[in-house]
Amino acid sequence: MEARCATEFAFDNSFARDLVGMYEPAVAATAPTPNALLINESLALELGIDASWLASPEGVDVLVGNVAPAGAEPLAQAYSGHQFGGFSPRLGDGRALLVGEVIDVFGRRRDLHLKGSGRTSFARGGDGKAAVGPMLREYVMGEAMHALGIPTTRALAVVATGDPVRRETVLPGAVLARVAASHLRVGTFQFAAAHHGTGMVQRVADHAIARHFPYLAEQPDRYLGLLQEVVRVQAELVASWMLVGFVHGVMNTDNMTLSGETIDYGPCAFMDQFDPATVFSSIDHGGRYAYGNQPSIVQWNLARLAEPLLPLIHDDSERSIELATTAMRGFADRFDARWLGGMRSKLGVAGADSGDPALVNDLLAVLHDQRVDHTRFFRRLSSAVAGDLAAVAALVPEPTSFHAWAKRWMGRVHGEGRDPATVAAAMDAVNPVYIPRNHLVEEALAAASTAGDLTPLRQLLDAVTQPFHERRGGERYAEPAPASFGRFQTYCGT
Ligand code: AMP
Ligand code: MG
């Protein structure tokens, strides 16, 4: 890492430069009494920014939008989106803005973006604001995902504004400063096509290629390549969500990136008991975005990306559809490879065997039928490798079918002849002890937003940002919600 730790961001704003017509200049609202609640020091370091300066009044003024730093070109990005299947041609950053693109200490280009920073020309009826609770929630969920090794946008800071926000009740307001490989969304392409036509789609596609898949830039079939690459990164992303029991909750095309990073942590949550029908969002009545539907929804969204790209893929429209269809078919292979590979690792299996898909599916049927806690089950499985099956069997109320499965599984693991301690350690490196459990997240957010006490949130962050490292005294963070917590619902009034 280059030794650069400054009080100025190294901006280079390619979106503003390349894509006039795809944004409106924006000015953040003034926060009357900014107060930094969380600052992500390690992320600041990656951006080449001195974390103690960020925490100073000058730094906080930048993080909350009171001051545009030197070199920034604040703008609200335009995008469309299919929301729960219905097309909205004009969404865009209604309460957010792109401050600029920072070249980080590794030379990577990263968006610095503020959310909750006031109304923009895309605000429609919205107030442009965000409440402290949901912004802290995005911080915790994103950092947990990052620590789990899942591509994601990341929170740099949450700053309370001192401005009230009216939702069902009056809540304290906040701005989230967020860092992303880019904020290009499927909806960005949809906006280009709906409002400008193919020329703009091409400019957006060239911009996406330059940022995320630069090796395609000189290829004659680069737009087909772009589709193939987004299919790949999104297949891998959703497979990694599935492996940890993450439910995004609002997989509209405006909430799906070209980079393959998870974005827009609204009504998302981690599943406790394994059930493909798990839905947390109070507005997802039909279960469109249920845990088990996520891979097919990603494919549906990818088809929405393919549509505006078709005229760029081939001059002959039938040939173009053929090529795009073949690219879309690549999803299944990419998804299966990542999912099955990930499941093998979770089960302590190194090589591939043709019986593995059945081994996985039969286990999931047991977990579903017996309503077993997903995270705890996989974590405890490693002790079974060394011969102690009791700990994991204790999680299964009626363990007959589990025991039958476990016999097959043990045969598979021991058949590979690897040292049991090595296998168990490898399993513990991929099966987390700590995820942001819903009851703990709620408890921590309540303490932070009502009592101004950030201690529970910081403790939770400590656990979920080292998710594979079991620590003494951390039992509380590993346990599922008590029955009294009831069925968890998330609300969209973020
Ligand atoms: P989301 O569901 O948060 O991904 O947002 C969907 C769309 O609604 C985006 O265009 C947002 O910018 C916009 N939006 C959400 N909340 C607000 C708000 N409070 N004020 C203005 N626009 C908003
Ligand atoms: Mg969104």
Side-chain angles (χ1 to χ4, degrees):
M1 198 188 289
E2 186 190 324
R4 167 154 71 72
C5 228
T7 58
E8 280 182 21
F9 293 93
F11 285 114
D12 178 59
N13 305 321
S14 66
F15 189 95
R17 199 161 55 227
D18 294 350
L19 296 174
V20 174
M22 292 298 297
Y23 61 85
E24 299 282 345
V27 180
T30 301
T33 54
N35 174 26
L37 302 180
L38 292 174
I39 292 184
N40 191 336
E41 294 188 8
S42 65
L43 184 56
L45 209 62
E46 286 183 27
L47 297 178
I49 287 291
D50 179 351
S52 58
W53 174 79
L54 262 192
S56 75
E58 296 82 59
V60 172
D61 267 337
V62 167
L63 291 171
V64 81
N66 280 353
V67 171
E73 290 170 80
L75 58 88
Q77 292 182 320
Y79 48 86
S80 311
H82 275 92
Q83 300 177 302
F84 289 91
F87 187 61
S88 299
R90 190 181 156 91
L91 292 172
D93 289 334
R95 55 161 172 176
L97 51 83
L98 176 65
V99 180
E101 295 155 37
V102 182
I103 308 302
D104 77 5
V105 295
F106 303 105
R108 295 174 301 192
R109 178 180 298 274
R110 299 173 87 176
D111 278 4
L112 175 62
H113 173 102
L114 304 181
K115 181 164 169 180
S117 51
R119 299 187 82 243
T120 72
S121 48
F122 300 102
R124 295 168 288 152
D127 61 4
K129 296 179 186 179
V132 163
M135 294 306 100
L136 291 175
R137 194 161 196 283
E138 174 153 347
Y139 192 118
V140 175
M141 299 304 282
E143 286 307 285
M145 292 288 270
H146 175 70
L148 289 167
I150 299 175
T152 178
T153 66
R154 295 186 64 190
L156 178 62
V158 175
V159 180
T161 57
D163 211 10
V165 181
R166 278 168 195 81
R167 296 290 179 258
E168 268 127 66
T169 54
V170 176
L171 300 167
V175 169
L176 170 79
R178 164 165 100 178
V179 172
S182 84
H183 283 78
L184 297 171
R185 307 152 191 263
V186 171
T188 313
F189 286 79
Q190 293 181 295
F191 186 94
H195 299 269
H196 298 286
T198 302
M200 184 64 92
V201 176
Q202 183 165 6
R203 280 165 58 198
V204 175
D206 287 336
H207 181 85
I209 288 170
R211 290 188 73 161
H212 303 304
F213 314 105
Y215 42 86
L216 295 176
E218 302 305 322
Q219 305 284 330
D221 56 353
R222 59 186 172 279
Y223 304 114
L224 178 62
L226 174 64
L227 181 61
Q228 287 166 333
E229 285 299 73
V230 181
V231 167
R232 176 178 66 80
V233 295
Q234 283 292 340
E236 290 172 357
L237 179 64
V238 71
S240 54
W241 291 355
M242 300 301 281
L243 290 165
V244 297
F246 177 76
V247 184
H248 182 283
V250 60
M251 296 169 66
N252 297 333
T253 57
D254 52 306
N255 292 336
M256 184 162 150
T257 59
L258 269 279
S259 66
E261 288 184 340
T262 312
I263 196 170
D264 278 357
Y265 293 90
C268 63
F270 282 78
M271 172 172 75
D272 288 328
Q273 295 170 345
F274 180 81
D275 182 353
T278 302
V279 170
F280 294 106
S281 170
S282 61
I283 61 163
D284 190 0
H285 305 295
R288 179 181 170 91
Y289 300 140
Y291 169 79
N293 285 352
Q294 295 184 119
S296 53
I297 286 292
V298 169
Q299 284 178 275
W300 192 89
N301 289 347
L302 287 166
R304 304 290 79 74
L305 172 66
E307 285 158 0
L309 290 176
L310 284 176
L312 303 178
I313 289 175
H314 202 280
D315 292 338
D316 178 81
S317 64
E318 271 175 41
R319 181 73 189 127
S320 189
I321 290 172
E322 235 170 68
L323 291 166
T325 307
T326 307
M328 300 290 299
R329 288 213 189 95
F331 182 92
D333 285 345
R334 294 293 190 179
F335 178 84
D336 291 349
R338 177 56 66 96
W339 162 255
L340 191 58
M343 270 295 168
R344 285 193 177 107
S345 305
K346 287 174 90 69
L347 295 176
V349 167
D353 183 283
S354 61
D356 291 343
L359 190 70
V360 169
N361 291 336
D362 294 347
L363 170 62
L364 296 180
V366 174
L367 297 185
H368 184 197
D369 181 54
Q370 295 289 310
R371 307 194 61 72
V372 180
D373 184 84
H374 183 258
T375 304
R376 250 200 336 181
F377 177 87
F378 281 103
R379 183 66 186 199
R380 283 200 191 171
L381 206 52
S382 64
S383 49
V385 176
D388 172 21
L389 197 61
V392 67
L395 298 174
V396 189
E398 275 294 329
T400 317
S401 53
F402 168 67
H403 281 300
W405 177 85
K407 211 168 151 208
R408 279 164 67 202
W409 167 65
M410 299 274 243
R412 173 81 179 86
V413 173
H414 292 146
E416 290 195 311
R418 295 160 76 213
D419 164 45
T422 308
V423 174
M427 290 170 76
D428 286 349
V430 295
N431 292 315
V433 197
Y434 309 114
I435 52 163
R437 297 266 182 190
N438 302 318
H439 63 297
L440 298 174
V441 174
E442 290 304 293
E443 174 193 279
L445 295 184
S449 25
T450 54
D453 177 11
L454 286 162
T455 311
L457 193 69
R458 288 188 203 283
Q459 287 169 342
L460 178 61
L461 265 173
D462 277 347
V464 300
T465 54
Q466 287 189 65
F468 302 107
H469 171 65
E470 189 160 5
R471 73 202 64 180
R472 213 178 296 177
E475 291 76 14
R476 196 167 173 265
Y477 295 95
E479 279 163 22
S484 60
F485 185 65
R487 193 173 148 253
F488 183 56
Q489 270 208 319
T490 53
Y491 297 92
C492 246
T494 57

